[in-house]
mmCIF file of all heavy atoms in Angstrom:
data_model
loop_
_atom_site.group_PDB
_atom_site.id
_atom_site.type_symbol
_atom_site.label_atom_id
_atom_site.label_comp_id
_atom_site.label_asym_id
_atom_site.label_seq_id
_atom_site.Cartn_x
_atom_site.Cartn_y
_atom_site.Cartn_z
ATOM 1 N N MET A 146 120.850 -79.944 -14.739
ATOM 2 C CA MET A 146 120.105 -79.653 -13.524
ATOM 3 C C MET A 146 119.080 -80.732 -13.184
ATOM 4 O O MET A 146 118.390 -81.231 -14.000
ATOM 5 C CB MET A 146 119.428 -78.305 -13.619
ATOM 6 C CG MET A 146 119.067 -77.682 -12.352
ATOM 7 S SD MET A 146 118.388 -76.001 -12.471
ATOM 8 C CE MET A 146 119.797 -75.206 -13.221
ATOM 9 N N VAL A 147 119.068 -81.057 -11.879
ATOM 10 C CA VAL A 147 118.164 -82.055 -11.337
ATOM 11 C C VAL A 147 117.600 -81.479 -10.014
ATOM 12 O O VAL A 147 118.275 -80.785 -9.285
ATOM 13 C CB VAL A 147 118.898 -83.390 -11.096
ATOM 14 C CG1 VAL A 147 120.048 -83.236 -10.151
ATOM 15 C CG2 VAL A 147 117.942 -84.464 -10.671
ATOM 16 N N SER A 148 116.315 -81.812 -9.692
ATOM 17 C CA SER A 148 115.766 -81.371 -8.476
ATOM 18 C C SER A 148 116.440 -82.034 -7.255
ATOM 19 O O SER A 148 117.037 -83.100 -7.398
ATOM 20 C CB SER A 148 114.277 -81.669 -8.449
ATOM 21 O OG SER A 148 114.082 -83.045 -8.296
ATOM 22 N N VAL A 149 116.391 -81.350 -6.170
ATOM 23 C CA VAL A 149 116.990 -81.947 -4.949
ATOM 24 C C VAL A 149 116.369 -83.252 -4.594
ATOM 25 O O VAL A 149 117.020 -84.186 -4.241
ATOM 26 C CB VAL A 149 116.804 -80.948 -3.740
ATOM 27 C CG1 VAL A 149 117.274 -81.584 -2.424
ATOM 28 C CG2 VAL A 149 117.624 -79.633 -3.978
ATOM 29 N N LYS A 150 115.023 -83.288 -4.737
ATOM 30 C CA LYS A 150 114.352 -84.551 -4.481
ATOM 31 C C LYS A 150 114.786 -85.698 -5.333
ATOM 32 O O LYS A 150 115.056 -86.804 -4.789
ATOM 33 C CB LYS A 150 112.805 -84.314 -4.674
ATOM 34 C CG LYS A 150 112.000 -85.600 -4.383
ATOM 35 C CD LYS A 150 110.516 -85.298 -4.667
ATOM 36 C CE LYS A 150 109.669 -86.591 -4.459
ATOM 37 N NZ LYS A 150 108.240 -86.362 -4.744
ATOM 38 N N ASP A 151 114.943 -85.470 -6.630
ATOM 39 C CA ASP A 151 115.384 -86.511 -7.501
ATOM 40 C C ASP A 151 116.877 -86.892 -7.234
ATOM 41 O O ASP A 151 117.280 -88.036 -7.330
ATOM 42 C CB ASP A 151 115.230 -86.115 -8.945
ATOM 43 C CG ASP A 151 113.731 -86.133 -9.374
ATOM 44 O OD1 ASP A 151 112.935 -86.676 -8.671
ATOM 45 O OD2 ASP A 151 113.452 -85.476 -10.450
ATOM 46 N N PHE A 152 117.675 -85.888 -6.942
ATOM 47 C CA PHE A 152 119.071 -86.120 -6.637
ATOM 48 C C PHE A 152 119.232 -87.085 -5.406
ATOM 49 O O PHE A 152 120.087 -87.977 -5.423
ATOM 50 C CB PHE A 152 119.824 -84.823 -6.423
ATOM 51 C CG PHE A 152 121.298 -85.048 -6.187
ATOM 52 C CD1 PHE A 152 122.188 -85.233 -7.273
ATOM 53 C CD2 PHE A 152 121.799 -84.985 -4.901
ATOM 54 C CE1 PHE A 152 123.511 -85.442 -7.060
ATOM 55 C CE2 PHE A 152 123.210 -85.158 -4.700
ATOM 56 C CZ PHE A 152 124.033 -85.398 -5.765
ATOM 57 N N LEU A 153 118.365 -86.852 -4.416
ATOM 58 C CA LEU A 153 118.501 -87.671 -3.159
ATOM 59 C C LEU A 153 118.099 -89.116 -3.439
ATOM 60 O O LEU A 153 118.382 -89.976 -2.633
ATOM 61 C CB LEU A 153 117.630 -87.062 -2.072
ATOM 62 C CG LEU A 153 118.128 -85.692 -1.558
ATOM 63 C CD1 LEU A 153 117.070 -85.132 -0.578
ATOM 64 C CD2 LEU A 153 119.484 -85.820 -0.882
ATOM 65 N N GLU A 154 117.435 -89.411 -4.527
ATOM 66 C CA GLU A 154 116.993 -90.734 -4.879
ATOM 67 C C GLU A 154 118.088 -91.506 -5.578
ATOM 68 O O GLU A 154 118.011 -92.769 -5.702
ATOM 69 C CB GLU A 154 115.737 -90.774 -5.736
ATOM 70 C CG GLU A 154 114.489 -90.159 -5.055
ATOM 71 C CD GLU A 154 114.039 -90.969 -3.862
ATOM 72 O OE1 GLU A 154 114.315 -92.197 -3.833
ATOM 73 O OE2 GLU A 154 113.466 -90.377 -2.929
ATOM 74 N N ARG A 155 119.135 -90.813 -5.986
ATOM 75 C CA ARG A 155 120.208 -91.491 -6.773
ATOM 76 C C ARG A 155 121.168 -92.262 -5.833
ATOM 77 O O ARG A 155 121.422 -91.844 -4.739
ATOM 78 C CB ARG A 155 121.011 -90.467 -7.544
ATOM 79 C CG ARG A 155 120.175 -89.687 -8.613
ATOM 80 C CD ARG A 155 121.025 -88.747 -9.460
ATOM 81 N NE ARG A 155 120.223 -88.155 -10.467
ATOM 82 C CZ ARG A 155 120.725 -87.348 -11.422
ATOM 83 N NH1 ARG A 155 122.014 -87.081 -11.436
ATOM 84 N NH2 ARG A 155 119.896 -86.825 -12.333
ATOM 85 N N PRO A 156 121.604 -93.437 -6.302
ATOM 86 C CA PRO A 156 122.494 -94.215 -5.462
ATOM 87 C C PRO A 156 123.865 -93.575 -5.301
ATOM 88 O O PRO A 156 124.311 -92.869 -6.215
ATOM 89 C CB PRO A 156 122.573 -95.585 -6.247
ATOM 90 C CG PRO A 156 122.305 -95.182 -7.642
ATOM 91 C CD PRO A 156 121.282 -94.069 -7.578
ATOM 92 N N CYS A 157 124.517 -93.862 -4.225
ATOM 93 C CA CYS A 157 125.886 -93.311 -3.956
ATOM 94 C C CYS A 157 126.695 -94.371 -3.248
ATOM 95 O O CYS A 157 126.207 -94.959 -2.240
ATOM 96 C CB CYS A 157 125.833 -92.072 -3.125
ATOM 97 S SG CYS A 157 127.431 -91.451 -2.554
ATOM 98 N N GLN A 158 127.878 -94.622 -3.766
ATOM 99 C CA GLN A 158 128.789 -95.631 -3.113
ATOM 100 C C GLN A 158 129.698 -94.934 -2.125
ATOM 101 O O GLN A 158 130.885 -94.934 -2.216
ATOM 102 C CB GLN A 158 129.631 -96.317 -4.231
ATOM 103 C CG GLN A 158 128.826 -97.029 -5.265
ATOM 104 C CD GLN A 158 127.953 -98.144 -4.643
ATOM 105 O OE1 GLN A 158 128.389 -98.909 -3.826
ATOM 106 N NE2 GLN A 158 126.720 -98.262 -5.124
ATOM 107 N N GLY A 159 129.062 -94.277 -1.133
ATOM 108 C CA GLY A 159 129.852 -93.579 -0.144
ATOM 109 C C GLY A 159 128.936 -92.749 0.771
ATOM 110 O O GLY A 159 127.892 -93.237 1.180
#
Side-chain angles (χ1 to χ4, degrees):
M146 201 174 298
V147 60
S148 70
V149 172
K150 180 181 178 181
D151 288 344
F152 183 77
L153 293 173
E154 296 297 331
R155 297 184 176 186
C157 172
Q158 300 300 316

